[in-house]
Structures are given as structure tokens and as C-alpha cells.
Amino acid sequence: MTTVGTKRRVTAAFAVAAGAALALTGCSAGQVSQMAVQVAAINGTEANVGAMSLRNVHVVYPDGKEYTNLKGGKAAVAFVAINTSERYADKLKEITTDAGPAEITADSTEIKPQALLVATAPKGETLKEAVQDEAASRQVDALVELTSLSHDVGPGLTVAMTFHFEKAGDVLVNVPVDAGPVTPREESAKSGAAQEAAEGSH
């Protein structure tokens, strides 16, 4: 099920917003396709269908409050959808998944030629505050949530998502789940002694 709301609820994570800013700064009409080959800062996946390019698609690491990523709960999905066409607009009609209904909240899901739709989890900073005005004028913001999860979606797993575009058609993406913060390495007294011994042997 897809819900397109009239109230803008979208805010963006700084890393994603900064990446969008870098990608968009050097782009003008006829050059947006350069964004389709940018390497994502986060380990999301990518896919292409028609003139649409999906980049950095991933299930966001849960905040433990609104998002739990557990069965029966809710998860957020982040991605960038780029319309590389120089003439035709397209529209993200809906997203279907094997983990539960996907709800899209946005003013509009139409993506104009040489423009993009950015979906990120709310982090307290709006995307339009994080990118240049010229870039912001060519993007659509959206909040995408998986609700009533049919099973847990944790790091190391993927969620099958099909993106349905009005003109470009459908594309199936196996979406990874963000592993979250890097776990710090813990060293015991024994590991420290072993390290000293190894260094002394050289």
C-alpha cells in the first residue's frame, strides 16, 4: 500500500544530504546522469530501469523508538531515485516488499527530467537545508516506511523491494539492512600481551 501525503514530513541524515550535495553541485541540465555513477557513502545497493537509476537503497538502522525493525514494528528505507531523461518526467507509483506494506509520504512522487527523489529517515535536519538552493529546486523529498513488518529485518539480511515507476516500469531490488555504528574493538589483557610478544619477535 502506498500513501502520498500532503504534509511534508521529510528530513534527512547528514551523510546522505552531504552526498547529495556533492553529487548535485557539478550537475546541470544534461549532466544529471553523472549522479548515476556516483559511489554511495553508505553500503546500499543500486538498480536501473529505463531512465530511472536507484542509488544507495538500504533499510535504515533503527533508532529504537519510532523504528525498531522488528516483526510487527516499523522500518525506514533510504534511497535516491534519479531521472536521467532530459525530456520526460516519471513517477514513483508504489513500492511493494516481502517484509510488509511500504508507505510513501511526500508532496508528490513525480520526478521531473534531470531531477531526483530522495528518501531518508528523519534525523532532525531537512535535506533542503543541507544542499544548495539550485540543487534543492530539482529534487523531491519523501519519507518511505515499511509498516507492520512481517518479520525482523536485521543487519546481514536483505528485503526484496519492487519499485513501480509509471514510465520506466518495475525493478526488483534486494535491499540490504544498515548495520549501524561500527562495533568498537575490545582488547583484553591477554590480547595486549600477545600483541607485545608479536612486536618483540620482529
Side-chain angles (χ1 to χ4, degrees), residues 47-54 82 90 163 165 167-172:
N48 301 292
V49 58
M52 296 304 306
S53 295
L54 290 167
I82 306 162
D90 207 335
F163 289 73
F165 293 99
K167 288 188 173 66
D170 303 341
V171 59
L172 173 64

Side-chain angles (χ1 to χ4, degrees), residues 66-201:
E66 183 175 5
Y67 302 108
T68 64
N69 291 21
L70 300 177
K71 182 178 179 180
K74 186 164 63 171
V77 181
F79 61 87
V80 177
I82 306 162
N83 184 357
T84 62
S85 172
E86 295 185 19
R87 296 182 60 189
Y88 303 107
D90 207 335
K91 184 176 183 179
L92 178 59
K93 295 166 57 180
E94 66 174 340
I95 301 171
T96 54
T97 86
D98 67 351
E103 296 185 356
I104 305 173
T105 303
D107 289 343
S108 171
T109 56
E110 180 181 72
I111 311 169
K112 296 179 180 180
Q114 300 287 295
L116 66 163
L117 181 149
V118 179
T120 52
K123 296 289 184 180
E125 177 184 351
T126 65
L127 189 60
K128 292 200 174 190
E129 290 172 350
V131 299
Q132 297 181 356
D133 290 341
E134 183 222 352
S137 68
R138 289 189 284 120
Q139 75 183 39
V140 176
D141 299 335
L143 175 65
V144 178
E145 299 171 309
L146 304 182
T147 62
S148 303
L149 289 168
S150 59
H151 58 267
D152 294 354
V153 289
L157 303 178
T158 60
V159 178
M161 298 187 189
T162 301
F163 289 73
H164 304 270
F165 293 99
E166 191 170 71
K167 288 188 173 66
D170 303 341
V171 59
L172 173 64
V173 186
N174 289 316
V175 179
V177 180
D178 185 7
V182 177
T183 303
R185 179 183 177 187
E186 295 182 4
E187 295 186 359
S188 65
K190 289 184 178 180
S191 65
Q195 178 65 26
E196 291 175 3
E199 291 175 351
S201 64

Side-chain angles (χ1 to χ4, degrees), residues 3-11 104-108 141-143:
T3 302
V4 179
T6 57
K7 181 179 179 182
R8 177 160 297 182
R9 298 176 52 203
V10 180
T11 51
I104 305 173
T105 303
D107 289 343
S108 171
D141 299 335
L143 175 65

